[in-house]
Structures are given as structure tokens and as C-alpha cells.
Amino acid sequence: MFDKNEIKKIKQLREQWENSTIKKTLERFPERKDKFVSGSGEEVDRLYAPDNLEDFDYFKDLNFPGEYPYTRGVQPTMYRGRLWTMRQYAGFGTAEESNKRYKYLLTQGQTGLSIAFDLPTQIGYDSDHPMSLGEVGKVGVAIDSLKDMETLFDGIPLDRVSTSMTINAPAAVLLAMYIAVAEKQGVSPDKLKGTIQNDILKEYIARGTYIFPPYPSMRLITNIFEFCSKEMPSWNAISISGYHIREAGATAIQEVAFTLADGIAYVEAAIKSGLKVDDFAPRLSFFFNAHNDLLEEVAKFRAARRLWARIMKERFGAKNKKSLMLRFHTQTAGCTLTAQQPDNNIIRVTIQALAAVLGGTQSLHTNSRDEALALPAEDSVRIALRTQQIIAYESGVTETIDPLAGSYYIEVLTKNIEEQALKYIEKIDKLGGAPRAIEKGFIQQEIQNSAYQYQKEIEEGKRIVVGVNKFQIKEETPKGLLRVDPEVGRRQVEKLRELKETRDNQKVKVSLSALGRAAKTDANLIPFILDCVKSYVTLGEICDVLRSEFGEYKESIKL
Amino acid sequence: MKAKKIRVLVAKPGLDGHDRGAKVVARALRDAGMEVIYTGLRQTPRQIVETAIQEDVNVIGLSILSGAHTHLFPEIMRLLKENKAEDIIVIAGGVIPEEDIPELKKVGIAEIFTPGTDTRDIINFIKEKVK
């Protein structure tokens, strides 16, 4: 893009500038640090100019929005056409309480739902399972059967909202329940819009809500891909998640690398199961973190988009434009929130949300200021949502597409992140792909090393966290934190007992044994699971049948 | 003669999968010269107490970010007592609201380390207690 002679001249004059002006300045005023680094530890130079982008090619590296390799965004008009979906992750206690929170958020101008399930639900245990004691309704809503799901979406028209569900190991069961609730509202599956997380690999890597071993888990995932490609054209069959990988301590580069490596594994599994790449790839979606280093994060989103487009085209030969587009949800970084001076978190979230928007996100969750202390209270959630609305309607960054493109620094960062992530992906390929690299503990160990490094930097004062290792104050105990009523667990168990007494238990038996038989074959399990949930078979009962067929995953621990 | 190494069990009770903190602390303790055993995820109170006794540890470090501490921590303390292992020092960390701390200390948890804790404070605390 830059003229060769021009670059030569810049190089020459830069050298002069470094040797005279800078040298003299440094003698009188040394810089604040010997080495400047980005949020994820990459060295940052004093100045970026065209000579850092010698081989930069506008059409190859950027092109127009909505055009390959989609660096500038997946839609041709981006936020000028439509703003991102404002989607706050929420859910706690019983289905009744969560339903109330969703309705509140929708009246406050939120444009999509995002369901948080409690841990027993995420791990396929009913509320009355011994492992569920003390956990029911704590980090999300407790769902045991279709009955709870009907309550959860009561009065919410599923043909008009889009819903994202953070559910992985038992994703097929919750998807089936969603379809069944919609059916009762008179909405057919092809009208449903939303996303199911359905990303088991990052559960083994970073999040921990796995049930089955990798092989049968990948089967359930590709079963969902196949089902969705036929029945649910507007549904995202997976949300390949870097979010939790970053939360566990990964750097920006590792986040991109490990997420896309997982993505490659899903594409390979789906192709192996007999699907054609362009039949399912358009419904793959992604989920990234937005951390504090504003510019590095913007570059990260751009780099991820470009790298995925190139992988899909060159490695998998995808032809459909939609197969090449990396569409993603973003959540601001929970791990950057501090328990100290929690109001400061509002500012952190603002910077992170801005990064996501400048990076071209399709939907966004902004964290609440009190999340290092407890589940967010209603007024904190409102401020978090208002943060997005202020960026959307007041900041002006939405008025033109990819406004930071062409910044020397942003383009250098974008290129570096793409190159380094690709190196990691090549390494993972050599190890036999993401599932093997996870089995060997390689990915986990890389993340742990970064997490430990990060902590050490804070403790050595090399990394400043305002209010934690600098600018501390004496603080009062925070008030008004949200607490989940301990009665929730008891009430949920009571509801479950009632359900088991009143449902048609013959139908339960028949549909469960049909599922058990199908699990032994190569059949797509989704229709069988759908039959089960419609007969009010519980989540735990379905997962128990699959546990006995598939076995359970045991994590490999390396410190 | 070299002093006997302090033995610590770092444990994740319940269903919570957030293990960044547990792993960082485990490593910091190891780097400080302690013998560290990490249980991995989804341990029941009984499993944790059994492992602690089997491994003859001086300290158990518990980590929970899911809010289940109000149920799981007291249960672990009860089982330690039942197994006559109250001499094991129990410390804990995670997302634990300030107002829960007095109750947890009452059941015998020696200290609660909340978000933002410097690992050197944990190391010093353990060294001070295990003498």
C-alpha cells in the first residue's frame, strides 16, 4: 500500500530521529519503563509508522466490510445498518425469578436473552442429586424438566426474541426443551433465533462443566449441527468460546489460537460424520473476551476474523461466503473486575465494551460492577446495560465502519496476533489436533503458565491494578449484594418430586429406553432426546442414560 | 537437618469449574517450598477429607466461586472433626461475600482470602500457622 521510496525515506528519517531527537530527550527525561508491553505481554514499540507495514496490502489484508477476509467486519454496513445485540447473561434461583429478570431486562431495552443455568443443570444432575446440594440456583437458573423451561419463558414470545443458552455437555437436552416450549407457543423450530454454546472442548480446557469423554461428546455436537442445518436455519449450532480460555489466564494470542484450534476440530468432526462444510459452517458462531488493553483487543477481533476466513477457505475449501465469516458474541472480562473499589469496574467495563464495538462484535454482554463480590444486583445490571447504550447512541464510534483500520499500530497488532496464533495452531496440528492437545494437557499448561505469570507481575508491581496494588483505600463492606434464597434448592426438589408423581411414567420409560438403544447405534440422538423432554423426562434422567452408554470424562491434572 | 516440608492439599469442592485461582495458588505455594497436592474439580467434602488424611497434609486450601461455600465448607469442617483431623488447618478463597466470613470462621476455617489477595500473604499465613 505504501510506496517503496516513501518507506525507505521514513526508515532513514526514523533512524535519524531515534539517534538525535529521541536520544537527547531520553538523556534528559528517561521513559517510564525499560520495556513497554501490551495487556498480554507482547512488547510495544515507541512508534508505529508505514515502515512497520512494508508488505501491507489493502485488498489482501483488509478489503471492504462484508468481503473476504472480513477483517473490517462481516456485514457490509455494520452498525450503520443495525447495532449489535445487547445481551446480558442472566439467571439465578428458580425459573420464576429468572423469568422476572428477563422481562425486566427486555423492558429496559435489552434486545436478546442470554440464559445462565446453575451448575447441576450444566453438569446434567437433577436438583435432588447429592452432588447438587448447595449448588441449586446459585450461578444460574435450575432447570430439571420441560416444566421449568415453560415457566422460564412464560410470556416471552420466542418468535420475537433471540435466545443464547450457555449450556454445553447437555446442550442437546436444553435445545430440545427450547424447541418444545416454542412448539407450545405455536412457534416452529425454523422460526427460532439464538445460540447454543455447545462447545465441549473449552470445557475440558478451562470451564469444567464436562460430563462425557471427548468422542461421544463430539458425536452429540455433530448431531446438533446436523439437526440444526435441517430444522433450524436461523439457529447458531455452536458458540466456539475463547471467553473462558481467556478468563483462565490465556493471553490475547492464546485466546485466538486455542479458540480457532477448537473450531478446526469441530469442522473436522462434522466433515468426518458426513456433513458438507457449507451445510453447517454458516451456523458456527464464536464467543470472545474483551480485556482491558483497548487497542490489542480491537486488533484481536480483527485478526480472529481474518484468520478464520483464511482457514475456512484454504484448509476446508468452504465456498459459501457465510461459512467464511467469523460472527461473534463478546463478554467483558470478569477476571479484570476487582472486589476493591467495585465502582471502578464500571470504567473497566466501558473500555472493554468499547474494544468489542470497535472490533465489530455481533452481540455484547457487559459485566456488572459487583461481580467480583456476588451475582449482580438489579441496579448494577442496569448500569452495565446503560454502558452499552451510551457507546451505541452517544460515543459516535458506530457511525462509520471499522474506524481504527489503517492505524499503523492497529494493523501491526492485527498482523502479529494472526501470525502468532497461526504458529500455535500449527503446533496443535502437530500434536494431533485440539482434542489430543487437550488430552496431553498442552493447552491447559500454556494457559496456566500465562495465568501464573500475570499474577506474579501484579505481585511484583510490574502490572498495576488500580485499587488492588496501587491507589488503595480503606473500604466499607459492600452492601446490597444479591443473595440466592437458600430455600430455592428445597423448593426445586419439591417441584421435582411432584413432577415425577404426576407425569405419565410409562411414557418416560419408553422414551428413555429408546434413547438408550439409539445411543448404541450411529443414529442422530436429537429426535430421541426431543421425545424424552416432551414426555417430561428430567435432564438428570436423560444424562444418566447417556452416562451409562458413554462413560464420564476424567480430567488430566498437570500443575 | 532439613526442616520437613509443609504439605498442602488444594481442593475444589462442589461443581464449580473456575480453577485459575486454585492452580495459581498451588503453584505459588510449591514455589515457596511446600509440597502441594491438587485434587482437580468436583470433589465431594468426603473425598477432600479422605485425601487430606491419606496424604497427611498440614493444610487444606479450598476454592469456590459458585456460592456453594455456605453449604460445602461447614460440611468439610464437620467431617474433619468426625475423623479427628481438626489439627489440619483449613483456609479458603474465592468469591465469598464479606458477610459470610464470620460464620465460616466460627466453624473453624482459619482464614478466608478474597479476590485480589497477594499469594505472599497466603504463604506467610501458612508458614506462621504451621510451626
Side-chain angles (χ1 to χ4, degrees):
Chain A
M1 195 162 88
F2 301 103
D3 180 69
K4 287 255 180 301
N5 291 324
E6 180 95 353
I7 289 200
K8 214 166 135 191
K9 190 170 153 198
I10 292 171
K11 271 188 183 168
Q12 261 169 18
L13 292 177
R14 183 205 275 267
E15 218 181 296
Q16 262 178 41
W17 175 71
E18 295 268 356
N19 291 334
S20 57
T21 314
I22 288 295
K23 206 170 153 221
K24 269 185 243 154
T25 308
L26 290 182
E27 276 161 14
R28 292 178 58 210
F29 310 104
E31 289 180 333
R32 287 182 290 113
K33 294 180 278 193
D34 292 337
K35 191 179 167 189
F36 288 77
V37 293
S38 73
S40 44
E42 294 293 300
E43 187 157 3
V44 178
D45 289 346
R46 180 173 295 120
L47 186 82
Y48 292 88
D51 56 329
N52 296 102
L53 286 164
E54 261 182 87
D55 304 319
F56 188 77
D57 179 327
Y58 183 82
F59 292 102
K60 223 174 104 240
D61 296 326
L62 298 185
N63 209 349
F64 295 106
E67 301 291 336
Y68 183 84
Y70 306 101
T71 315
R72 306 205 64 179
V74 291
Q75 290 109 3
T77 58
M78 287 304 290
Y79 305 134
R80 288 168 68 100
R82 194 181 143 265
L83 292 166
W84 63 92
T85 304
M86 298 179 191
R87 197 191 290 284
Q88 298 295 94
Y89 184 47
F92 59 93
T94 58
E96 286 86 357
E97 282 173 282
S98 295
N99 176 265
K100 245 189 254 162
R101 176 69 69 95
Y102 301 150
K103 284 179 176 161
Y104 172 78
L105 285 166
L106 290 170
T107 60
Q108 292 300 308
Q110 173 166 294
T111 47
L113 293 176
S114 174
I115 315 300
F117 297 103
D118 72 355
L119 284 166
T121 306
Q122 293 189 50
I123 300 173
Y125 293 129
D126 283 340
S127 298
D128 59 356
H129 190 281
M131 284 298 282
S132 304
L133 260 176
E135 310 266 16
V136 175
K138 284 280 162 65
V139 303
V141 58
I143 300 292
D144 289 314
S145 74
L146 179 57
K147 201 135 225 147
D148 294 325
M149 205 71 160
E150 288 163 6
T151 310
L152 190 67
F153 292 105
D154 182 54
I156 299 172
L158 298 189
D159 52 346
R160 270 184 278 152
V161 295
S162 75
T163 303
S164 167
M165 290 190 275
T166 299
I167 194 77
N168 295 279
V173 184
L174 275 301
L175 177 64
M177 286 182 187
Y178 193 78
I179 294 169
V181 172
E183 204 167 90
K184 293 203 165 182
Q185 288 189 2
V187 180
S188 56
D190 60 300
K191 297 274 178 344
L192 295 175
K193 278 198 291 286
T195 306
I196 195 136
Q197 199 164 73
N198 196 26
D199 169 12
I200 201 68
L201 293 174
K202 67 91 176 52
E203 296 296 328
Y204 303 134
I205 295 173
R207 194 167 172 275
T209 68
Y210 41 73
I211 304 175
F212 317 113
Y215 184 75
S217 295
M218 293 300 263
R219 172 196 175 178
L220 282 170
I221 290 166
T222 50
N223 282 177
I224 292 176
F225 285 4
E226 191 193 0
F227 182 86
C228 289
S229 74
K230 288 179 185 147
E231 313 281 339
M232 305 177 83
S234 305
W235 191 267
N236 297 310
I238 192 169
S239 170
I240 306 164
S241 307
Y243 183 79
H244 320 87
I245 290 174
R246 188 70 181 278
E247 285 293 292
T251 63
I253 291 163
Q254 289 170 335
E255 181 188 355
V256 173
F258 301 152
T259 309
L260 299 199
D262 286 350
I264 290 169
Y266 293 123
V267 173
E268 281 174 348
I271 291 173
K272 217 172 142 194
S273 80
L275 300 177
K276 285 204 186 68
V277 68
D278 283 322
D279 285 347
F280 65 89
R283 297 321 301 171
L284 303 176
S285 67
F286 289 81
F287 174 19
F288 289 111
N289 203 305
H291 225 273
N292 280 333
D293 190 322
L294 178 72
L295 299 175
E296 183 178 53
E297 292 299 295
V298 174
K300 176 187 79 181
F301 299 121
R302 302 172 83 244
R305 228 171 3 241
R306 185 158 79 200
L307 183 53
W308 184 249
R310 288 177 172 162
I311 289 169
M312 289 309 287
K313 187 174 184 178
E314 290 159 20
R315 183 167 177 158
F316 295 111
K319 300 269 183 309
N320 186 339
K321 269 181 96 167
K322 291 210 159 107
S323 304
L324 311 174
M325 292 178 190
L326 180 145
R327 294 170 299 116
F328 66 101
H329 172 68
T330 308
Q331 179 169 339
T332 58
C335 64
T336 64
L337 302 182
T338 64
Q340 295 74 17
Q341 304 175 43
D343 285 348
N344 294 347
N345 292 326
I346 298 171
I347 292 82
R348 293 190 178 96
V349 168
T350 306
I351 294 170
Q352 296 163 4
L354 190 58
V357 171
L358 290 169
T361 196
Q362 275 59 62
S363 65
L364 178 61
H365 166 105
T366 32
N367 286 335
S368 298
R369 59 182 163 175
D370 45 3
E371 287 183 48
L373 302 164
L375 285 182
E378 199 168 271
D379 58 339
S380 301
V381 175
R382 191 180 55 240
I383 295 171
L385 178 60
R386 294 290 180 257
T387 306
Q388 294 198 37
Q389 290 161 337
I390 290 169
I391 292 173
Y393 298 105
E394 298 183 20
S395 78
V397 299
T398 51
E399 312 301 277
T400 188
I401 302 163
D402 188 27
L404 294 186
S407 144
Y408 308 122
Y409 182 40
I410 285 285
E411 296 303 349
V412 169
L413 275 171
T414 305
K415 183 164 169 269
N416 284 351
I417 293 172
E418 184 187 6
E419 282 173 2
Q420 308 245 22
L422 188 59
K423 272 191 199 140
Y424 256 124
I425 290 172
E426 284 164 0
K427 198 162 180 183
I428 290 166
D429 281 339
K430 282 208 184 90
L431 290 170
R436 287 288 295 143
I438 293 165
E439 244 169 55
K440 289 180 178 154
F442 168 75
I443 295 178
Q444 298 92 311
Q445 201 134 37
E446 290 289 305
I447 297 170
Q448 277 163 232
N449 289 342
S450 299
Y452 192 51
Q453 182 71 27
Y454 189 91
Q455 180 66 24
K456 275 202 339 214
E457 284 167 13
I458 292 173
E459 295 181 3
E460 288 163 3
K462 285 185 191 156
R463 189 184 283 275
I464 303 301
V465 182
V466 172
V468 174
N469 63 355
K470 211 170 183 167
F471 315 114
Q472 299 100 318
I473 52 167
K474 196 117 197 82
E475 289 182 77
E476 303 261 310
T477 307
K479 300 218 162 47
L481 296 180
L482 185 128
R483 297 193 73 90
V484 175
D485 180 0
E487 280 295 286
V488 163
R490 204 192 46 73
R491 279 209 303 273
Q492 194 64 21
V493 170
E494 185 54 33
K495 273 199 291 185
L496 192 56
R497 198 186 51 77
E498 257 176 52
L499 172 85
K500 286 184 180 172
E501 275 170 12
T502 51
R503 68 185 178 180
D504 181 344
N505 279 303
Q506 187 53 33
K507 256 167 96 181
V508 168
K509 236 171 101 185
V510 171
S511 58
L512 265 180
S513 55
L515 173 64
R517 280 195 306 277
K520 290 186 210 300
T521 69
D522 288 337
N524 190 320
L525 295 180
I526 310 304
F528 294 91
I529 293 172
L530 204 46
D531 268 354
C532 286
V533 305
K534 284 182 183 170
S535 313
Y536 293 92
V537 178
T538 67
L539 171 81
E541 289 167 332
I542 294 172
C543 290
D544 277 345
V545 164
L546 297 177
R547 275 187 189 97
S548 69
E549 293 301 328
F550 296 158
E552 290 186 64
Y553 177 74
K554 192 89 194 81
E555 71 176 313
S556 74
I557 300 166
K558 270 192 198 164
L559 273 186
Chain B
M1 211 180 87
K2 245 177 97 182
K4 210 174 151 236
K5 275 191 175 181
I6 297 172
R7 291 174 66 78
V8 185
L9 179 73
V10 174
K12 284 287 304 175
L15 302 179
D16 176 34
H18 294 91
D19 57 2
R20 175 178 181 165
K23 284 173 168 173
V24 165
V25 169
R27 212 151 140 183
L29 299 182
R30 201 178 63 189
D31 284 359
M34 301 179 199
E35 201 80 61
V36 181
I37 302 130
Y38 172 55
T39 61
L41 304 179
R42 291 194 213 167
Q43 301 291 302
T44 62
R46 195 166 290 281
Q47 284 171 321
I48 291 168
V49 170
E50 276 167 12
T51 312
I53 293 169
Q54 247 166 42
E55 296 281 350
D56 192 24
V57 297
N58 309 98
V59 179
I60 302 174
L62 301 170
S63 161
I64 295 192
L65 287 82
S66 72
H69 55 272
T70 47
H71 169 75
L72 293 165
F73 287 177
E75 180 60 10
I76 290 166
M77 300 313 290
R78 191 187 68 75
L79 287 167
L80 279 173
K81 208 173 232 171
E82 195 181 282
N83 287 280
K84 306 218 165 16
E86 303 109 300
D87 58 316
I88 299 176
I89 296 154
V90 181
I91 56 174
V95 178
I96 294 169
E98 200 82 29
E99 55 192 57
D100 291 354
I101 293 177
E103 201 51 44
L104 296 173
K105 286 198 167 167
K106 222 158 65 194
V107 298
I109 308 243
E111 192 57 85
I112 310 279
F113 296 98
T114 47
T117 298
D118 193 309
T119 58
R120 288 170 298 194
D121 293 340
I122 304 174
I123 293 163
N124 292 338
F125 182 86
I126 293 176
K127 285 186 173 163
E128 198 55 41
K129 283 273 168 182
V130 185
K131 266 190 175 161

